[in-house]
Each structure stands twice: as structure tokens, then as C-alpha cells.
Amino acid sequence: QVQLVESGGGLVQVGGSLRLSCATSERTISSMGWFRQAPGMEREFVAAITRSGGATNYADSVRGRSTISRDNAKTTVYLHLNSLKPEDTAVYYCAARRSFYPLIATAASFYEYWGQGTQVTVFS
């Protein structure tokens, strides 16, 4: 069973920044992604990155103020969020998959493994 451990959530003021991390001991992971779920809302895609890190994809809601990256060992993925807004408040989930097809995925159904989630709260 692949385990994903997230960290880095917390309370952040509007306009602030934070970095989320997701670590796994599994080295055969393909693409990884971040999703988020606000209270009463569906889980939504935030960002994804291929195994090589050469391709990324972002939701329109965070594009231009977020960066997803991956370490050289391919076992940790990061999500930098800048210019945070109250609507960024949600539980953020890390996701991972073994399949390389498609190379990068934005739908939650493509991901086999999920972290426990980390709360991000943006206050004014």
C-alpha cells in the first residue's frame, strides 16, 4: 500500500503564501497531483506534475499564483501557493498514481493513492 504524507497546511492571511509537501516512500509513482475540497463542495483538481517534472497542469483558479514541483528522487511533491484568497480555504489532498497513461491527469478517478489531507485556512 502506497502511503502519502502531507504537511504544510495551516492558517494564512489573505495575500500570503505557503508550501504544501507530500512525501511517499514509493519510487514507482508516475504523476502526482493536488486536489482540494472546501466544506459542502466537491473535491476539485488543483495541480499535477509528471514523474519527470517536465510537464505540469493547473486549475484556472490557481494558475499564475501556484507552482507544483517534484524532488529529484521523485518521492516528494510540493505545491507553492501565493497570493492566497479566502476561496483557497479547503482541505488539500495529495494524490499519486502508478499508470503512465495519460501522462498527466486532472481527474481524481485517475489517482489510486491519496493522502489524509491537510487543512489550509485563509483569513482576512
Side-chain angles (χ1 to χ4, degrees):
Q1 180 70 16
V2 175
Q3 289 190 319
L4 304 176
V5 180
E6 300 128 332
S7 60
L11 290 169
V12 185
Q13 198 162 15
V14 168
S17 302
L18 57 70
R19 186 183 78 164
L20 304 179
S21 301
C22 173
T24 178
S25 59
E26 180 58 55
R27 294 182 177 272
T28 62
I29 292 299
S30 170
S31 58
M32 298 182 74
W34 287 94
F35 290 75
R36 67 186 182 186
Q37 188 167 19
M41 304 292 284
E42 298 276 326
R43 188 171 298 189
E44 65 174 5
F45 169 74
V46 177
I49 187 167
T50 56
R51 176 176 175 80
S52 69
T56 57
N57 199 336
Y58 296 93
D60 290 342
S61 57
V62 300
R63 185 174 292 116
R65 59 187 185 92
S66 66
T67 303
I68 188 170
S69 60
R70 198 160 178 175
D71 71 333
N72 289 335
K74 316 302 180 189
T75 57
T76 302
V77 64
Y78 305 97
L79 181 68
H80 287 81
L81 289 168
N82 304 308
S83 302
L84 284 161
K85 308 174 182 180
E87 51 264 42
D88 293 318
T89 295
V91 177
Y92 284 70
Y93 296 91
C94 175
R97 49 198 290 263
R98 291 187 188 274
S99 175
F100 283 82
Y101 182 79
L103 195 58
I104 194 167
T106 61
S109 58
F110 280 106
Y111 291 88
E112 305 151 77
Y113 309 106
W114 293 85
Q116 79 284 356
T118 184
Q119 177 71 46
V120 172
T121 302
V122 183
F123 66 96
S124 56

